Every structure is written in C-alpha cells, then in structure tokens.
Amino acid sequence: MVSLKSLAKETAIYGMSSIVGKFLNYLLVPLYTIALPASSGGYGVITNMYAITALLLVLLTYGMETGFFRFANKEGEKPDTVYSTVLTSVGFTSLVFVALCLCFLKPLSSFMGYGEHPWYLGMMLVVVAMDAFQAIPFAYLRYKRRALRFASLKLLFIVLNIALNLVYFVALEGQDVGATFAINLACTSVVMLCLVPELRGFSYAFDKALLRRMLSYSFPILILGIAGILNQVADKIIFPFVYPGSAAEAHVQLGIYGAASKIAMIMAMLTQAFRFAYEPFVFGSAREKDSREMYAKAMKFFVIFTLLAYLAVMFYLDVLRYVLGRDYWSGLRVVPIVMAAEIFMGIYFNLSFWYKLIDETRWGAYFSLAGCAVIILMNVFLVPVWGYMACAWAGFAGYGVAMLLSYFVGQKKYPIRYDLRGMGCYVLLAAALYVPAMYVPIANLWWRMAFRTVLLLVFVACIVKRDLPLKHIPFLNRLAR
C-alpha cells in the first residue's frame, strides 16, 4: 500500500506538470489556428514536422531510457556507472547524427518536401538531437524520484515557448511558420543549460561491457519504440504522400486533422503522466510479493479515470471546440475515435511491463509491429478514399490489435489477474451514458451542458460507490471526523 501511495503522489506531481503544461500548450493551438488559417496549410507543416522529429527522437534514444531504469535497479550494478555510460553513448550518437544531417541538409529537406525552406528541417534536427540527449538526465531525475525538479524544467520549456510565441504571433503579428521552429530551438537550448547540474557531481565511467548488455536489452525496445511512435505519427508522415489532392491541399487537410486531434490529447496527458511514475515504480517493486496485485489495481484505476476523461471531453466538446479556429471545426469528428485509440494505447503500455520484467522485450516489438502494420496499411489504402478520417480509424485499429495481442500472450507468459469484469462494467456504463449525452437533442447549449454534467456525475458517483469510497480519501475523512 505504501508503494501505491508513492505511485499516486508521484503521478500527481507528474500529472499536474503534464496537465498544466499541456493546458498551457493549448494556448498555442488557438494562436496557431488563428494566425495560420487552415487554407494556408501552415498548421499542416507544423503537424508534419513534429511527427518527423518524434520518430527521430525514438531512434536517437534507442531504448536507453528504459534500459537505464532496468540496469540502475539491477543488483550488482552501480547506478552512477549506468548513468554515465548511457549519457556518453546517447550524447555521442546525437552529436554524430546532427553533424551528418546538417552536412546533407539540402537533399534531406528536398526529399521531405521542404526544399524551399531547408532550415525548417535544420532547426528541428538540432532540437531533436538535444532532446535525445536531455532524455537521459530527465530519466535520471525520475530514477532519483526528483519529480518536482523534473516537472519544473518541463514547465520552464513550455512557459518560455508560449511566451515567445505570443510575442511573435501577437505582439509582432508575425505569420512565418518557421518562427515556431526557431522558438523551439531557443527554448530547448535554455533547458539544456538548466540540466548542467545533472551532468556533474559524479565520476564519469564508460563501461563497454555494460553498454553491450544494455544495447542487447534495449534493441528490442528500440524496435518497439519505432513501431510505437509510428503508431502515433505514421499518419501525419504518410498523409502528404498518399493524399490524392495537391501538396498544398494535403497540408490544409493535415492541419485540420492535426488541430482537431489536439483536443483528444487530454487522454495522452493522462497516459504520459502515468507512464512517468509507473515505469520506475514497476521496476522498483518487481521483487515484492504482491506486485502483480498492485499492477492489476493500477490497471483498473487507469481504465476508470481514462473513461472519466473520455466522457468529460466528449460531453463538453461544444465548449472545448473554441480552442480551435472556426475553420478547423470540421475536423472535430475525429475526436471520439482518437481518444478511444489513446485509451487503447494507455492500456497497451500498462500491459507491456510483463515482457520488460522477464527480459523478453522482443514481444513488445512483435505486438507494436503488428499494430504499426495495421496503421500503415490502413493509411496507405484508405486515406485516398476517406481522407483524414482514415487516419483516426487506423490508430484505433492498430492500438486495438497491439493491446489484445499483449494481453493474451502476457496471460501465458506472466499472468496477472486483472479485474476484467469490473473494468468491463465501467466500459458499459460509459457507453450507456455516452449515447444519451450525444444523441438526445437539446438545442440550448446551457441546458445541454447541464444534462451532460448530470450524466458525468452519475459516472463519478459509481466510481465513489464501487471503488473509491469517500472515507478512503484522507482529506474528506478528516473533515468527517
């Protein structure tokens, strides 16, 4: 129980930083979608560029974050040696990568469709190299349970990024999409300077034998990571190549899809916050006798609260849509599909620890590759027919396949007794509340919001009654006394 309380505390800290950070980042969505109208295709360029850099970030960290947690917690290993070895390895490969890319920037940018603006790509290549290196000090902060330091640096980047964007797009009334990449580069550089203390205070030691063992462990995770990130961004990378219209129209449609998907990222916030605390928690508690029971409980609460978030977003979508410029509203039909896909992804992530704990990470690669294949094939064949709606359904199908494969194989390799009945009841309840909320016609916005609020409170009441009695909440329990 102490471990679960620690998990809850750290999830709260990571969650608040993630939620606050993502909320502040939402300020950029109306800013961009107003300053860059859908017809300009500017937001499509941003969506495509960040999808490319997300894939590159996975390649440049090559599974070493998870490898660091695994080996730093292994008996007989020296955590500082593990840290310095990983730091040196990732730092070297990131430096070589950015140097080579800048040498061949013109042909690379032409191939990616940015021949007229090569430094759009150049700036983001420098950013992704720095991000890959920074991933290791941030992992070290998580290992040391320094959640506040981690959160403060993440928020520093976000606040500074927003401030500079406001200066350029509002105060200076700028309209060059390239400014967003320049601002990102500046903010990433500031965070790099702030991480200097995490690069000192210990003796650097590069252990080649340790690195070989870590690479052997992490390589399947790299394949898993590539497949996993492709599950998230393949549609945004592939879309301009397979959309039947012109390149300009492809960026317009991609911008609409990317902007609308931002609303669904509330689910991504929750899964990311849970991951930051859950990964070190799992490896740290793997030797405890009741660890499987704790994993099962954590899964159940994850499902419960992601369903709550799903209902909240969908019930108040008529208000949340004002986050976007009006000419992006046509893309809001993807929100329920993308959010459901994010739930599948979160469940899949929670299920994934069985193969990490028994050092059979190749299974994760198999599952993610299967899901990735579904996503890529659906995008290639269906985007020309359905446009960006195919992107949403491809993510839903791909994550669903990976989730189911991981569950059924995991129950044979590392069985955990999940409360499937309890979680199933919440899924059915959420569906039963969703249908009247979406399909009962109420013209007046305020009455419609009031009706949906009542339905949401019904779901909350069921959570309190079945799984989270008020007497178990310390603050309320003290008030009752």
Side-chain angles (χ1 to χ4, degrees):
M1 185 59 68
V2 175
S3 295
L4 280 176
K5 288 181 179 179
S6 175
L7 173 64
K9 179 181 177 181
E10 291 179 23
T11 301
I13 296 173
Y14 292 125
M16 285 304 297
S17 67
S18 180
I19 291 171
V20 171
K22 293 289 184 180
F23 175 75
L24 292 175
N25 258 334
Y26 273 142
L27 295 176
L28 295 178
V29 178
L31 181 64
Y32 290 156
T33 55
I34 292 172
L36 305 169
S39 59
S40 72
Y43 199 78
V45 172
I46 292 174
T47 300
N48 179 248
M49 189 66 73
Y50 278 101
I52 294 169
T53 54
L55 174 60
L56 290 175
L57 182 59
V58 172
L59 290 170
L60 289 177
T61 52
Y62 43 94
M64 294 302 271
E65 283 180 276
T66 302
F68 166 73
F69 285 119
R70 179 59 173 165
F71 282 80
N73 283 287
K74 265 191 172 183
E75 292 184 5
E77 301 289 356
K78 297 178 180 179
D80 282 353
T81 301
V82 175
Y83 177 51
S84 62
T85 299
V86 174
L87 199 64
T88 303
S89 177
V90 174
F92 176 76
T93 52
S94 297
L95 187 61
V96 170
F97 165 81
V98 75
L100 288 174
C101 286
L102 292 180
C103 287
F104 299 97
L105 183 60
K106 286 188 176 180
L108 280 174
S109 58
S110 296
F111 174 74
M112 298 307 302
Y114 297 103
E116 296 182 3
H117 304 283
W119 277 101
Y120 285 7
L121 183 62
M123 287 185 287
M124 293 308 294
L125 289 172
V126 176
V127 166
V128 77
M130 287 196 290
D131 279 343
F133 179 73
Q134 291 175 14
I136 307 307
F138 274 119
Y140 187 68
L141 289 174
R142 290 162 58 198
Y143 168 75
K144 288 291 188 179
R145 301 292 178 88
R146 298 182 62 190
L148 289 175
R149 168 89 171 146
F150 178 99
S152 64
L153 290 177
K154 290 292 185 181
L155 288 175
L156 171 65
F157 173 87
I158 293 166
V159 171
L160 185 59
N161 187 37
I162 291 171
L164 292 177
N165 272 281
L166 287 172
V167 168
Y168 178 76
F169 286 104
V170 178
L172 301 179
E173 298 183 351
Q175 292 185 319
D176 184 358
V177 70
T180 63
F181 309 131
I183 290 170
N184 194 322
L185 177 59
C187 297
T188 304
S189 300
V190 170
V191 173
M192 180 70 81
L193 292 174
C194 292
L195 283 170
V196 168
E198 277 64 50
L199 307 179
R200 301 185 300 184
F202 59 92
S203 298
Y204 275 83
F206 184 76
D207 189 328
K208 292 182 180 179
L210 171 64
L211 180 61
R212 283 194 293 268
R213 287 187 286 121
M214 293 187 71
L215 288 174
S216 177
Y217 174 84
S218 298
F219 181 73
I221 297 177
L222 168 61
I223 304 303
L224 167 66
I226 293 172
I229 198 64
L230 281 174
N231 288 344
Q232 299 178 50
V233 303
D235 52 353
K236 302 170 185 67
I237 296 174
I238 293 172
F239 192 90
F241 294 100
V242 298
Y243 187 75
S246 65
E249 180 60 22
H251 279 115
V252 170
Q253 294 299 313
L254 181 59
I256 293 172
Y257 170 65
S261 296
K262 285 292 184 181
I263 293 179
M265 289 303 102
I266 290 176
M267 197 63 66
M269 287 186 241
L270 296 176
T271 55
Q272 183 185 54
F274 195 82
R275 176 195 168 190
F276 283 149
Y278 196 50
E279 193 166 59
F281 162 76
V282 167
F283 288 123
S285 63
R287 291 186 293 270
E288 297 182 14
K289 293 181 179 179
D290 62 345
S291 58
R292 299 194 194 201
E293 183 180 349
M294 284 191 291
Y295 301 157
K297 288 181 180 178
M299 172 68 84
K300 183 175 181 179
F301 281 107
F302 175 82
V303 170
I304 289 172
F305 287 108
T306 51
L307 286 173
L308 177 61
Y310 183 93
L311 293 178
V313 170
M314 293 311 304
F315 287 3
Y316 300 115
L317 190 58
D318 289 342
V319 175
L320 291 173
R321 64 181 179 175
Y322 289 98
V323 170
L324 308 179
R326 286 181 178 270
D327 51 347
Y328 290 84
W329 286 6
S330 60
L332 291 175
R333 53 190 175 147
V334 306
V335 173
I337 307 166
V338 175
M339 285 195 70
E342 288 289 340
I343 294 178
F344 287 170
M345 183 183 72
I347 295 173
Y348 171 60
F349 173 79
N350 292 341
L351 291 169
S352 71
F353 278 98
W354 68 261
Y355 54 75
K356 294 179 182 178
L357 289 170
I358 63 175
D359 293 343
E360 292 190 19
T361 49
R362 69 182 185 279
W363 285 104
Y366 299 154
F367 304 146
S368 284
L369 285 171
C372 183
V374 171
I375 289 175
I376 291 175
L377 290 173
M378 288 185 67
N379 273 280
V380 169
F381 290 105
L382 296 181
V383 164
V385 181
W386 294 348
Y388 57 72
M389 287 303 296
C391 300
W393 282 113
F396 179 89
Y399 284 130
V401 167
M403 175 187 69
L404 292 173
L405 287 174
S406 184
Y407 172 76
F408 287 114
V409 177
Q411 289 304 100
K412 294 180 179 179
K413 295 281 187 177
Y414 191 84
I416 297 175
R417 296 184 63 183
Y418 294 109
D419 184 6
L420 297 181
R421 181 178 179 181
M423 291 186 287
C425 287
Y426 279 109
V427 171
L428 291 175
L429 175 62
L433 296 173
Y434 178 85
V435 171
M438 294 295 107
Y439 296 104
V440 171
I442 302 177
N444 183 276
L445 174 64
W446 297 108
W447 283 112
R448 187 162 66 249
M449 292 299 98
F451 173 65
R452 292 177 178 177
T453 299
V454 171
L455 295 177
L456 190 65
L457 289 175
V458 170
F459 192 82
V460 172
C462 289
I463 296 173
V464 171
K465 182 176 178 60
R466 289 173 55 91
D467 290 285
L468 194 65
L470 296 179
K471 66 180 181 180
H472 289 168
I473 302 177
F475 174 74
L476 296 177
N477 192 29
R478 286 196 296 270
L479 288 180
R481 292 177 183 175

